[in-house]
Amino acid sequence: MFNKAARPITPPPRELPETTLQLTPDQVKQFEINRLQAKARQREKEQKASTSSTTLNAHNKRPLGITPASSNSPTASKPLKRDSRLGAYFEYDLSKMVNSKGGFLLEDGNEIDEEVRRKEKERERQRARQNLDPPMHLDRAMNPKCSECQSLDIDQTFKKVFGCLVCKKCQNEKPEKYSLLTKTECKEDYLLTDPAELRDEELLPHLLKANPHASTYANMMLYLRYQVEDFAWKKWGSAEALDAEYERRTAEKKKKKNKKFEQGLKELRKRTKEGLWQRRKDEEHKHLFGELQRGLDGQSQQVCHSCGFTIDVEVM
């Protein structure tokens, strides 16, 4: 239950003692005048604060006011006049400048942007020619099927580019046959030539893909593994002949590299030997003898000015 004794109770007014001073009418009048004057000053201060356009910031300071240049105020900022003695100068808009990484500042990069955009569109146009899907027939028997699993879900890109009927599933299950090789792999592993064989679409059809290094670079040329291997077997005779040719070229390349290293080492030794011989030659001391000096015993001597070496000279 609610406890009534816990509620605060206003104490009864205290009776003022009789000894309290009683205010005179003049004092009461003066107190009232002071109160009215204080209220008037407070009202005037509030009115000024409401009509003022400036407000205090978080630090209880007035914000910095910006005076326009067209103002007639003496504190208005006006553009400085350039000294004519400095000669002619050029004004550059730094907001439009582009850093081309070439050590120059270009005012407008429209020409570079247009060239890059043109190359990108050309690469995309070359790739788009291979990505057009042919229509499907309503008759299932007339649609091409996968050569491995007889599925109708064949890869149209492989069909159009390589003439190979295979589905995505068979591509992933048999990478030793349907994986894609780059042009560098064909040149290094199968010893095929770039301009004569790899760029001939009748001999080796290739798929164009965007270059991962930059969109403006030439498209990657990808080849189907089993087609590359068949062409390489025909060119070299067999897989064993290709391996023998690869080992021969590797050994020849290694031999040339060792020969070049030995030649460089030989030249280095020659230069070192010549330098050592010249250094020793320069360090050899040559005596510079002075005039003949006759000793107390009547023999003539010559003394080297550099090291003090003395020799006896017989005068005829």
Side-chain angles (χ1 to χ4, degrees):
M1 296 179 64
F2 184 75
N3 188 6
K4 294 183 179 181
R7 297 181 58 186
I9 300 174
T10 305
R14 294 182 301 173
E15 297 180 359
L16 297 175
E18 295 180 357
T19 56
T20 305
L21 295 177
Q22 298 294 332
L23 298 178
T24 62
D26 295 338
Q27 291 176 338
V28 173
K29 181 179 179 182
Q30 187 64 35
F31 285 162
E32 187 67 19
I33 292 173
N34 294 341
R35 185 178 68 82
L36 294 176
Q37 290 178 351
K39 291 183 67 176
R41 288 194 298 269
Q42 180 68 20
R43 192 180 300 109
E44 183 179 359
K45 186 184 297 184
E46 292 177 356
Q47 186 177 2
K48 287 183 179 180
S50 61
T51 56
S52 177
S53 59
T54 59
T55 57
L56 300 180
N57 56 17
H59 302 287
N60 202 19
K61 300 292 183 179
R62 289 185 301 169
L64 178 62
I66 300 176
T67 307
S70 59
S71 175
N72 296 328
S73 175
T75 60
S77 59
K78 297 182 180 180
L80 298 177
K81 294 183 179 181
R82 187 176 182 277
D83 193 349
S84 60
R85 294 175 296 177
L86 298 178
Y89 68 99
F90 299 93
E91 293 183 357
Y92 293 97
D93 190 356
L94 298 179
S95 62
K96 294 182 179 180
M97 290 186 178
V98 179
N99 186 6
S100 62
K101 308 297 183 181
F104 299 95
L105 292 178
L106 303 179
E107 244 183 274
D108 196 0
N110 293 334
E111 297 181 359
I112 299 178
D113 296 339
E114 291 178 0
E115 183 66 19
V116 172
R117 197 177 300 111
R118 185 189 64 81
K119 289 184 179 180
E120 291 179 353
K121 289 183 178 180
E122 179 64 23
R123 307 307 180 197
E124 292 177 0
R125 194 180 304 111
Q126 292 176 358
R127 296 191 297 268
R129 296 170 186 170
Q130 300 177 347
N131 297 332
L132 298 177
D133 294 338
M136 298 291 290
H137 295 281
L138 297 178
D139 188 2
R140 293 173 59 88
M142 299 181 62
N143 290 322
K145 299 179 181 179
C146 177
S147 58
E148 300 289 342
C149 63
Q150 303 301 317
S151 173
L152 295 178
D153 190 16
I154 65 172
D155 192 341
Q156 299 295 337
T157 303
F158 271 50
K159 177 189 174 184
K160 182 176 181 180
V161 177
F162 303 111
C164 177
L165 301 179
V166 65
C167 61
K168 291 286 186 181
K169 181 180 178 182
C170 295
Q171 292 180 26
N172 298 330
E173 291 179 352
K174 298 182 179 181
E176 70 279 358
K177 185 177 180 180
Y178 298 107
S179 60
L180 298 177
L181 301 175
T182 61
K183 183 174 66 174
T184 304
E185 292 174 339
C186 295
K187 292 168 60 177
E188 295 180 354
D189 298 341
Y190 296 93
L191 307 180
L192 302 180
T193 58
D194 180 14
E197 298 170 348
L198 295 178
R199 293 187 180 272
D200 191 348
E201 295 187 1
E202 295 182 359
L203 296 177
L204 288 174
H206 53 268
L207 175 66
L208 298 179
K209 287 288 186 179
N211 197 306
H213 299 287
S215 59
T216 56
Y217 290 0
N219 292 321
M220 287 196 309
M221 301 170 65
L222 303 178
Y223 301 85
L224 197 57
R225 180 180 291 274
Y226 84 88
Q227 293 182 353
V228 174
E229 290 181 351
D230 292 343
F231 182 79
W233 304 161
K234 293 178 181 178
K235 177 180 179 180
W236 301 107
S238 63
E240 292 75 12
L242 175 62
D243 293 339
E245 180 65 19
Y246 180 81
E247 292 178 359
R248 186 189 69 80
R249 293 191 181 187
T250 304
E252 185 178 356
K253 187 184 299 184
K254 187 177 181 180
K255 184 178 179 181
K256 290 182 179 179
K257 185 176 180 181
N258 293 337
K259 184 178 180 181
K260 184 177 180 180
F261 175 76
E262 291 293 340
Q263 185 177 0
L265 185 60
K266 185 177 180 181
E267 293 179 358
L268 178 61
R269 289 175 179 172
K270 184 178 179 181
R271 291 197 301 268
T272 306
K273 187 181 296 184
E274 291 178 355
L276 182 59
W277 178 85
Q278 187 66 31
R279 196 180 307 115
R280 289 178 179 177
K281 194 71 175 176
D282 295 339
E283 291 177 356
E284 289 181 357
H285 176 66
K286 295 181 180 180
H287 297 290
L288 299 176
F289 296 102
E291 298 180 356
L292 289 175
Q293 298 178 2
R294 187 174 296 276
L296 299 176
D297 54 356
Q299 291 185 353
S300 299
Q301 295 179 345
Q302 281 185 327
V303 181
C304 178
H305 296 294
S306 301
C307 62
F309 180 72
T310 304
I311 61 174
D312 297 332
V313 180
E314 183 178 355
V315 179
M316 301 299 293

